Amino acid sequence: MINLRELSKQYGERSPVVDRLNLRVEDGEFLVLAGPSGCGKTTTLSMINRLIEPSHGSIIVDGVDVRASDPVKLRRGIGFVFQEIGLFPHLTVGENAGIVLRLLRWQPKRIAERVDELLHLVRLPADQYRDALPAALSGGQRQRVGVARALAARPRIMLLDEPFGAIDPLTRDDLALDYRRIHDQLGLTTILVTHDMTEAMLLADRVALLRDGRLVQIGAPRELFSAPADDFVRAMVESPRRRARALAAVVGEPS
């Protein structure tokens, strides 16, 4: 589905932000790109839909090099959700969710039907939320509208850049698990960027760990736990365990 070959991004004489990355994402897979800040996760994601152009290498989607595609058409066929949701404040929830469809010149009746379908999918009842303005929504609800908007034109690929990072923990967990349900229900291919290893381990089919722009290890969460490639990977995958042990120490054993 998505094949990154010797992909690099470098600005001037500085060290590459992404350095000869080779990565294949299978059809229907939920892949998480994880690693510390500045490791190249977001740059990699942005090169897939040509928000950033690579310095070297290629990105093949369904057998076609994305550089041979019109960037606007490419982006309309790939859903993108990011932390700063970017809803238009003067447009209603329904208008925000359907904006891509208007750009694609769908008929109004068809747009309205699709918007109601999308709002149901992200658990925002259309009769309650369709005509609301973004200012009336919570952060989690606005992010749900962002997911709906990204799904509007029925993309097969979804790119998510720290989409749950600015939301309170309870809402974040709920929304993350809801997105995983949507991914499975629609048969999507998803790449999610996060620095939260607990989130990565709970959501991913496979996790690709990056450091200094390079792929250090990729595998299913269980594989990374059982056979970390080096001390960096070991420290990254131990983070959720350390948090669990710390929480257990605070809470104490049940009596």
Side-chain angles (χ1 to χ4, degrees), residues 85-120:
I85 306 126
L87 300 183
F88 294 101
H90 61 290
L91 299 181
T92 67
V93 164
E95 289 167 338
N96 269 286
I99 194 165
V100 173
L101 304 180
R102 289 197 295 277
L103 293 173
L104 295 174
R105 301 182 184 277
W106 283 32
Q107 293 299 313
K109 182 176 184 295
R110 189 181 174 202
I111 292 175
E113 291 171 351
R114 178 59 176 160
V115 165
D116 284 1
E117 179 185 333
L118 289 163
L119 294 180
H120 173 76

Side-chain angles (χ1 to χ4, degrees), residues 2-20:
I2 303 171
N3 197 0
L4 312 183
R5 300 174 180 169
E6 293 291 309
L7 189 65
S8 297
K9 182 62 182 180
Q10 185 171 8
Y11 295 97
E13 298 299 317
R14 290 179 289 177
S15 298
V17 180
V18 177
D19 191 5
R20 293 170 292 174

Side-chain angles (χ1 to χ4, degrees), residues 25-31 121 147 151 156-158 160 176-192 203-205:
V25 186
E26 301 297 337
D27 189 18
E29 184 174 19
F30 196 124
L31 179 84
L121 184 67
V147 171
L151 290 168
R156 293 174 56 208
I157 297 170
M158 289 285 285
L160 285 72
L177 292 175
D178 253 7
Y179 180 78
R180 178 70 218 214
R181 170 188 58 82
I182 291 169
H183 166 92
D184 293 337
Q185 180 180 333
L186 300 182
L188 301 169
T189 300
T190 295
I191 304 178
L192 167 71
L203 293 178
D205 296 322

Side-chain angles (χ1 to χ4, degrees), residues 64-252:
V64 177
D65 192 319
V66 298
R67 288 174 299 185
S69 303
D70 177 85
V72 174
K73 290 182 179 178
L74 176 72
R75 290 171 202 143
R76 287 179 182 171
I78 298 176
F80 200 113
V81 183
F82 41 93
Q83 185 171 325
E84 299 298 331
I85 306 126
L87 300 183
F88 294 101
H90 61 290
L91 299 181
T92 67
V93 164
E95 289 167 338
N96 269 286
I99 194 165
V100 173
L101 304 180
R102 289 197 295 277
L103 293 173
L104 295 174
R105 301 182 184 277
W106 283 32
Q107 293 299 313
K109 182 176 184 295
R110 189 181 174 202
I111 292 175
E113 291 171 351
R114 178 59 176 160
V115 165
D116 284 1
E117 179 185 333
L118 289 163
L119 294 180
H120 173 76
L121 184 67
V122 299
R123 295 203 297 145
L124 292 175
D127 56 354
Q128 182 178 351
Y129 291 99
R130 182 194 307 110
D131 298 323
L133 290 171
L137 306 182
S138 68
Q141 289 168 338
R142 289 195 295 272
Q143 195 61 288
R144 289 179 185 275
V145 178
V147 171
R149 179 179 61 189
L151 290 168
R154 296 188 172 88
R156 293 174 56 208
I157 297 170
M158 289 285 285
L159 307 178
L160 285 72
D161 187 8
E162 302 273 10
F164 317 125
I167 304 171
D168 68 88
L170 185 61
T171 303
R172 174 179 183 150
D173 290 347
D174 188 43
L175 184 52
L177 292 175
D178 253 7
Y179 180 78
R180 178 70 218 214
R181 170 188 58 82
I182 291 169
H183 166 92
D184 293 337
Q185 180 180 333
L186 300 182
L188 301 169
T189 300
T190 295
I191 304 178
L192 167 71
V193 161
T194 185
H195 63 270
D196 186 324
M197 286 304 297
T198 302
E199 182 173 83
M201 294 303 193
L202 289 174
L203 293 178
D205 296 322
R206 289 191 301 160
V207 178
L209 280 171
L210 303 183
R211 178 180 57 190
D212 298 329
R214 295 185 178 183
L215 179 65
V216 180
Q217 188 173 359
I218 183 169
R222 186 179 296 275
E223 295 172 14
L224 299 185
F225 274 124
S226 62
D230 59 18
D231 289 342
F232 166 76
V233 177
R234 185 175 293 106
M236 291 294 293
V237 300
E238 275 296 315
S239 173
R241 285 177 170 166
R242 287 196 301 272
R243 292 169 66 181
R245 287 194 295 266
L247 179 61
V250 170
V251 174

